Amino acid sequence: MAYAQALQALGDPTRRSVLEELRDGPRAVGEIAARLPVSRPAVSQHLRVLKEAGLVTERQNGTRRLYRVDPDGLAEVREYLEGFWEEALANFKAAAEQEERRKK
Amino acid sequence: MTVTATETIRKEIFVDAAPETAFRVFTEQTAAWWPLHKYGTFHEDAETVVFEDRDGWRLIEKAKDGRETVWGEVLDYEFASRVRFTWHPERDADDEPTEVEVTFTADKDGTVVVLEHRGWENLTGERRESRVGYDNGWPGVLEVYRQFAEG
């Protein structure tokens, strides 16, 4: 499941910070590293994981390699949120119906 | 970013129980059905999740060692009819919470329960650096999703 990989990638707070730096648009590794207390190689490593998880894409722009958020990856995360409520409500339904039977 | 990212998440389910029962089980027996170990912030250390009155009703997750974290505050409710609460696991209460509203409507011999999770578009302001950094789990995901929903 792609979203499972996305979740795992997002489990690291520093990696989330890296992703959040892409919120306003494409960035190069150096730009991200300059804004975070993280070394450039570490930022590169985080970006690699995010890319493998489908959350980030990269593209060469002249001499610069730019990273941006991949909307498809976030769609996976949304599916995860939807799935969470579905599972919670299915459990809730079972509990409520059990309680109703107990009362009768 | 796609427009759908900020759309309200809406889930509807029919429950074969009276609205009073459904409402009570949702608000008073929350731990009985919440998939806590999978979707809590304390993971295997989680003990329970409850709505508790502390200067207003709050949804609180508790760990076995006594730690607590507030997931949201009840904004308003009407017994057997509806409850609306803010939703901000891992964040401060005033830090751009999303909102969950659950309605209970009698239908035939049971209840139609509709859950809406909204507020994804409320993406103004700076993130708080003080938020607690749980090292994994879905609250972090929720946060990132919200950060990007508007794109």
Side-chain angles (χ1 to χ4, degrees):
Chain A
M1 298 292 278
Y3 80 77
Q5 202 177 359
L7 288 187
Q8 202 166 11
L10 293 171
D12 184 297
T14 306
R15 202 170 297 135
R16 292 206 297 270
S17 301
V18 170
L19 184 62
E20 283 158 18
E21 287 302 320
L22 302 177
R23 179 180 174 176
D24 298 325
R27 294 271 185 279
V29 173
E31 293 172 314
I32 299 168
R35 293 168 55 93
L36 294 173
V38 183
S39 72
R40 210 177 146 124
V43 168
S44 289
Q45 176 61 31
H46 285 309
L47 284 168
R48 185 150 53 239
V49 175
L50 290 168
K51 192 181 150 194
E52 283 166 8
L55 292 164
V56 159
T57 57
E58 65 176 316
R59 137 180 97 81
Q60 197 72 27
N61 185 5
T63 56
R64 301 202 320 156
R65 182 166 297 178
L66 294 177
Y67 293 85
R68 65 183 285 273
V69 175
D70 186 342
D72 291 342
L74 285 176
E76 298 268 5
V77 177
R78 181 180 173 94
E79 278 174 28
Y80 169 81
L81 291 173
E82 301 250 4
F84 155 66
W85 283 121
E86 271 169 26
E87 184 175 345
L89 284 181
N91 284 1
F92 160 70
K93 174 182 163 74
E97 291 177 351
Q98 188 181 4
E99 175 69 10
E100 187 79 350
R101 284 195 298 274
R102 195 185 63 78
K103 280 171 30 180
K104 279 175 181 167
Chain B
M1 193 71 37
T2 54
V3 175
T4 53
T6 57
E7 272 176 20
T8 294
I9 291 176
R10 187 178 190 280
K11 297 291 169 195
E12 183 176 324
I13 195 166
F14 177 81
V15 179
D16 192 7
E20 293 77 11
T21 308
F23 184 88
R24 281 190 190 282
V25 169
F26 196 98
T27 57
E28 296 174 14
Q29 300 174 29
T30 316
W33 54 269
W34 197 284
L36 191 56
H37 291 273
K38 193 168 163 189
Y39 294 108
T41 61
F42 295 130
H43 305 287
E44 62 275 12
D45 295 330
E47 183 171 56
T48 191
V49 54
V50 289
F51 283 96
E52 247 178 45
D53 189 3
R54 296 188 185 169
D55 295 329
W57 288 88
R58 300 174 202 290
L59 181 57
I60 301 167
E61 180 191 5
K62 299 181 179 182
K64 291 172 189 150
D65 61 7
R67 281 176 298 158
E68 293 184 351
T69 181
V70 177
W71 286 357
E73 288 81 26
V74 174
L75 297 167
D76 44 48
Y77 71 94
E78 201 177 324
F79 178 73
S81 175
R82 56 186 287 277
V83 60
R84 190 168 64 102
F85 49 96
T86 58
W87 181 250
H88 53 79
E90 210 188 52
R91 298 162 67 92
D92 294 334
D94 58 350
D95 193 6
E96 303 172 8
T98 52
E99 181 183 298
V100 177
E101 181 167 18
V102 189
T103 58
F104 305 82
T105 309
D107 184 66
K108 300 194 178 71
D109 288 332
T111 306
V112 173
V113 177
V114 176
L115 181 144
E116 289 194 351
H117 191 173
R118 57 196 171 220
W120 308 107
E121 69 281 8
N122 298 334
L123 295 172
T124 56
E126 290 294 311
R127 279 173 1 91
R128 304 297 165 89
E129 295 307 317
S130 63
R131 77 182 196 286
V132 183
Y134 295 103
D135 60 356
N136 53 30
W138 71 279
V141 172
L142 188 73
E143 163 146 346
V144 170
Y145 179 77
R146 253 170 42 81
Q147 289 289 321
F148 284 90
E150 187 111 295

